[in-house]
């Protein structure tokens, strides 16, 4: 029987954590349930422990830091990660995990947006943010993932032990999705039900502050994972600016034989040089990225080899 670990990052979830732990114990009695308490100011840790979870403190604040510790510490064949706010039914999370257990995906996503999310979630800017992030990532990485930022996921051991967690906070879900796309992991999607937080339970997300962090993460990962495309776009913009400034000067020169706007010409040449430098940076970093991908594949082979021993 494959070993299953349920990972629950938590911060001030005393109203819901008992229900989360008990539901998973009923649905997946053979699973180990880990609650990583991220400096909660309430009784989250105590309630989780009394409910039967393995409680571990994580003193570095932020969901990304919690996930980093979970992935390093816990050994399992299948990992189920859910939030501690009781918004994801345990039955649906197990259906997501089955896709991984059956070998059909390295990372399986619980797709909220195709079911009840927009009906249950009463925060319109959250809904808009989910749509915007989904559109950006699918456009940039030429994919068709329906729910980029879901908190309900399942992973196999290879994904968990080879995923370099860089984010500190809630942008970790976006990082996971982009990493899986870039490294060509097999991604599965399962529509799941979503229910809003119960009365009295408050979201830790700041719509605008965390939204900007997610957009910044997308931009940084776009630069890191697709440097030729990223710097190529910058180069094209600079080239167009240079051409737009140089064209009137060139036309005037053909008509009069004079160059009356030397400052404009100097700026146009400067933009042209910057465009060439940007494109050269993209070419160099693209070569570095391909080399990095080769080493990553070797590391994956080593992980698989150690697992099968």
């Amino acid at each position: 029987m494959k070993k299953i670990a349920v990972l629950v990052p938590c911060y001030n979830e005393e109203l819901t954590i008992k229900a989360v732990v008990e539901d998973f114990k009923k649905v997946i009695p053979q699973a180990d349930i880990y609650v990583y308490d991220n400096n909660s100011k309430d009784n989250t840790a105590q309630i989780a422990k009394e409910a039967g979870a393995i409680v571990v403190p994580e003193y570095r604040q932020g969901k990304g830091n919690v996930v980093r510790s979970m992935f390093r510490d816990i050994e399992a064949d299948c990992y189920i990660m859910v939030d501690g706010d009781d918004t994801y039914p345990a039955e649906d999370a197990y259906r997501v995990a089955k896709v991984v257990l059956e070998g059909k995906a390295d990372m399986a996503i619980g797709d909220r947006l195709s079911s009840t999310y927009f009906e249950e979630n009463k925060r319109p800017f959250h809904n808009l943010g989910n749509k915007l992030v989904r559109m950006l990532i699918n456009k940039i990485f030429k994919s068709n993932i329906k729910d980029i930022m879901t908190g309900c996921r399942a992973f196999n051991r290879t994904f968990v032990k080879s995923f370099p967690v860089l984010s500190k906070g809630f942008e970790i879900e976006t990082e996971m999705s982009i990493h899986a796309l870039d490294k060509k992991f097999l991604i599965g999607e399962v529509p799941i039900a979503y229910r809003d937080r119960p009365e009295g339970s408050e979201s830790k997300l700041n719509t605008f502050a965390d939204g900007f962090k997610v957009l910044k993460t997308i931009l940084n990962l776009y630069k890191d994972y697709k440097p030729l495309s990223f710097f190529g776009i910058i180069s094209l913009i600079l080239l167009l600016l240079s051409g737009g400034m140089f064209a009137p000067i060139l036309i005037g020169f053909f008509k009069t034989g004079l160059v009356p706007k030397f400052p404009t010409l100097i700026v146009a040449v400067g933009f042209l040089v910057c465009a060439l430098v940007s494109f050269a940076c993209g070419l160099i970093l693209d070569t570095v990225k391909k080399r990095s991908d080769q080493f990553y594949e070797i590391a994956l082979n080593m992980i698989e080899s150690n697992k099968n021993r």
Side-chain angles (χ1 to χ4, degrees):
M1 184 178 293
K2 291 186 176 181
K3 184 177 180 182
I4 301 174
V6 178
L7 316 182
V8 189
C10 266
Y11 175 66
N12 291 346
E13 300 289 6
E14 66 177 3
L15 294 179
T16 54
I17 189 60
K18 181 179 179 180
V20 172
V21 174
E22 290 181 347
D23 286 350
F24 274 99
K25 289 178 73 69
K26 291 176 185 176
V27 174
I28 323 174
Q30 73 274 23
D32 295 325
I33 302 173
Y34 295 87
V35 171
Y36 272 56
D37 180 56
N38 197 202
N39 301 312
S40 294
K41 305 297 189 296
D42 58 13
N43 295 318
T44 296
Q46 181 182 344
I47 294 172
K49 189 173 183 180
E50 291 173 354
I54 302 168
V55 179
V56 181
E58 171 52 58
Y59 300 109
R60 293 170 297 180
Q61 198 65 41
K63 188 174 181 179
N65 290 323
V66 176
V67 172
R68 181 184 296 108
S69 294
M70 286 177 158
F71 283 7
R72 286 179 181 175
D73 298 345
I74 299 169
E75 295 292 336
D77 298 303
C78 178
Y79 301 77
I80 304 171
M81 189 174 77
V82 295
D83 295 332
D85 54 10
D86 198 28
T87 54
Y88 303 104
E91 297 85 354
D92 286 0
Y94 189 40
R95 287 196 299 110
V96 175
K98 282 183 178 179
V99 178
V100 173
L101 289 167
E102 293 169 0
K104 297 177 181 178
D106 299 300
M107 179 181 74
I109 294 171
D111 172 19
R112 313 159 297 167
L113 304 188
S114 297
S115 60
T116 57
Y117 182 79
F118 294 114
E119 300 170 8
E120 290 286 328
N121 194 324
K122 306 302 188 295
R123 293 156 289 186
F125 286 111
H126 283 209
N127 298 340
L128 179 63
N130 271 283
K131 291 179 179 178
L132 176 61
V133 169
R134 178 176 63 182
M135 181 193 70
L136 282 175
I137 291 179
N138 285 334
K139 185 72 173 177
I140 292 171
F141 292 90
K142 296 179 175 60
S143 59
N144 190 32
I145 297 179
K146 296 181 177 63
D147 193 351
I148 300 291
M149 300 177 66
T150 178
C152 178
R153 297 169 186 260
F155 319 91
N156 61 16
R157 187 180 185 279
T158 301
F159 183 92
V160 165
K161 296 304 179 183
S162 66
F163 174 53
V165 180
L166 302 177
S167 300
K168 296 179 181 179
F170 281 99
E171 60 270 29
I172 183 65
E173 280 95 358
T174 305
E175 185 182 345
M176 286 177 177
S177 299
I178 293 177
H179 177 78
L181 288 169
D182 179 72
K183 295 300 185 284
K184 299 178 177 61
F185 279 107
L186 188 59
I187 301 174
E189 290 188 279
V190 179
I192 61 170
Y194 176 88
R195 55 200 178 206
D196 205 5
R197 284 173 170 269
E199 187 176 350
S201 176
E202 296 183 0
S203 173
K204 314 305 182 299
L205 280 171
N206 183 302
T207 302
F208 295 102
D210 288 311
F212 283 123
K213 287 180 183 178
V214 169
L215 292 176
K216 181 182 177 183
T217 298
I218 293 173
L219 187 65
N220 285 332
L221 293 178
Y222 180 31
K223 171 180 65 68
D224 294 340
Y225 287 151
K226 290 184 174 292
L228 184 57
S229 173
F230 180 85
F231 286 100
I233 290 173
I234 294 175
S235 177
L236 180 61
I237 292 171
L238 292 171
L239 190 63
L240 291 173
L241 288 172
S242 175
M245 298 177 73
F246 181 71
I249 297 173
L250 184 63
I251 293 171
F253 176 76
F254 284 139
K255 288 181 178 179
T256 65
L258 300 174
V259 182
K261 299 179 179 179
F262 271 103
T264 304
L265 177 61
I266 293 170
V267 174
V269 172
F271 277 135
L272 177 62
V273 171
C274 290
L276 294 173
V277 170
S278 179
F279 187 68
C281 287
L283 286 173
I284 294 169
L285 291 174
D286 187 62
T287 302
V288 173
K289 170 68 168 53
K290 288 178 180 176
R291 187 65 172 168
S292 173
D293 287 344
Q294 291 173 348
F295 283 116
Y296 186 84
E297 290 297 321
I298 293 171
L300 281 183
N301 292 337
M302 292 176 65
I303 291 172
E304 288 294 321
S305 177
N306 292 332
K307 182 179 72 173
N308 295 326
R309 285 179 181 176

